[in-house]
Amino acid sequence: MTFPPVTTTGTDRAALCETAAGWLFFHDLFRFPTDTQWAWLHEPSMAAAWNLLATHLDVEVPSDLPLPDTRAAYEQIFLSMFEVGMPAPECPLIESHWHRELPAPKVLYENILFYKQFGLNLRASANETADHLRHQSEFLHYLCRQEAEWRLDPERSTLAESCAQGRRDFLARHVLTWLPRAEDRLRQNCPGGWPAHWLTLLTCFADTQRDTGGHYESHAMAMIRTSPKSVIRSIG
């Protein structure tokens, strides 16, 4: 784990790297429950990252990463809340569920267009739909890392600005149109539960970027180095 220096501007590469680390953290936090995932959630790096985010964002969530007591409870609650509850999950992590006024294919298509615009495509083996939180968070992580790389080269400044604009647009048109609704649902129906705390922290993290040009800035954001199973790949 490393700690980048204090950031001062919205276009600072350190700020971009912190934002990328945040999106990677949440992408991995909401991975499908498995034995490996349960063990990973108990790693010290996860606890440190959660604590840093909760402290800096000053949101009403526990300072320690909230988890159920057992692996079995974790899987049962995660699935019923986010994936395959009966008759339906309490809080599906897919954008189209929260936009009943729009045809689901339209929402999916707009997500896919964003991915393709930046040279990305869903893997054929991906289990989730294009508008799933894990795809959206991985996409935002990718854009942050790409912009940070391009800002090293003055000749690629236009490309870097395109990434920055893409992140702002994607947050405004997609992520921030459904995530607050999902978070509100869990706060009302499952107050104090760990799934509600997870979504509250994520929503606050995403919302701060609405006002900072798409960047999350802190004095110390843990750069978690993990190896998530990628669901998005370059097609360039």
Side-chain angles (χ1 to χ4, degrees), residues 21 70 111 137 235:
T70 66
N111 276 266
S137 56
I235 59 173

Side-chain angles (χ1 to χ4, degrees), residues 14-94:
L16 285 166
C17 291
E18 290 183 355
T19 306
W23 284 119
L24 180 59
F25 169 80
F26 286 112
H27 167 274
D28 292 354
L29 183 66
F30 286 94
R31 285 186 295 190
F32 201 79
T34 62
D35 289 338
T36 300
Q37 177 72 356
W38 177 245
W40 180 78
L41 289 170
H42 288 82
E43 290 185 1
S45 60
M46 282 295 294
W50 176 278
N51 179 266
L52 283 168
L53 283 164
T55 300
H56 178 72
L57 294 172
D58 192 26
V59 61
E60 292 185 6
V61 297
S63 58
D64 295 327
L65 174 61
L67 292 169
D69 294 331
T70 66
R71 158 76 171 83
Y74 161 61
E75 180 173 6
Q76 186 274 320
I77 295 171
F78 187 98
L79 292 178
S80 64
M81 287 290 171
F82 303 127
E83 299 287 345
V84 290
M86 295 296 291
E90 180 71 33
C91 184
L93 300 177
I94 54 176

Side-chain angles (χ1 to χ4, degrees), residues 28-206:
D28 292 354
L29 183 66
F30 286 94
R31 285 186 295 190
F32 201 79
T34 62
D35 289 338
T36 300
Q37 177 72 356
W38 177 245
W40 180 78
L41 289 170
H42 288 82
E43 290 185 1
S45 60
M46 282 295 294
W50 176 278
N51 179 266
L52 283 168
L53 283 164
T55 300
H56 178 72
L57 294 172
D58 192 26
V59 61
E60 292 185 6
V61 297
S63 58
D64 295 327
L65 174 61
L67 292 169
D69 294 331
T70 66
R71 158 76 171 83
Y74 161 61
E75 180 173 6
Q76 186 274 320
I77 295 171
F78 187 98
L79 292 178
S80 64
M81 287 290 171
F82 303 127
E83 299 287 345
V84 290
M86 295 296 291
E90 180 71 33
C91 184
L93 300 177
I94 54 176
E95 179 186 348
S96 54
H97 173 84
W98 304 95
H99 290 300
R100 298 299 178 85
E101 73 281 5
L102 299 174
K106 174 180 173 62
V107 177
L108 294 171
Y109 182 63
E110 287 192 359
N111 276 266
I112 291 171
L113 282 181
F114 263 97
Y115 303 157
K116 287 187 175 182
Q117 179 68 26
F118 291 91
L120 301 175
N121 195 11
L122 297 183
R123 289 183 181 274
S125 59
N127 294 321
E128 298 91 358
T129 58
D131 60 336
H132 195 283
L133 172 64
R134 286 192 287 269
H135 289 319
Q136 293 184 338
S137 56
E138 187 173 357
F139 177 57
L140 288 164
H141 167 259
Y142 170 84
L143 290 182
C144 290
R145 298 300 299 182
Q146 193 66 66
E147 182 184 347
E149 178 182 341
W150 282 339
R151 287 199 182 280
L152 289 172
D153 183 356
E155 295 184 0
R156 293 188 171 185
S157 60
T158 301
L159 293 174
E161 289 302 325
S162 294
C163 277
Q165 185 62 52
R167 288 187 297 108
R168 288 191 292 268
D169 290 347
F170 192 69
L171 281 164
R173 291 178 60 86
H174 292 285
V175 176
L176 288 173
T177 65
W178 72 270
L179 196 57
R181 301 186 192 184
E183 189 248 342
D184 187 62
R185 166 79 63 82
L186 281 192
R187 281 196 297 106
Q188 290 185 28
N189 296 354
C190 309
W194 60 268
H197 290 318
W198 285 18
L199 270 190
T200 293
L201 190 64
L202 168 58
T203 303
C204 185
F205 173 77

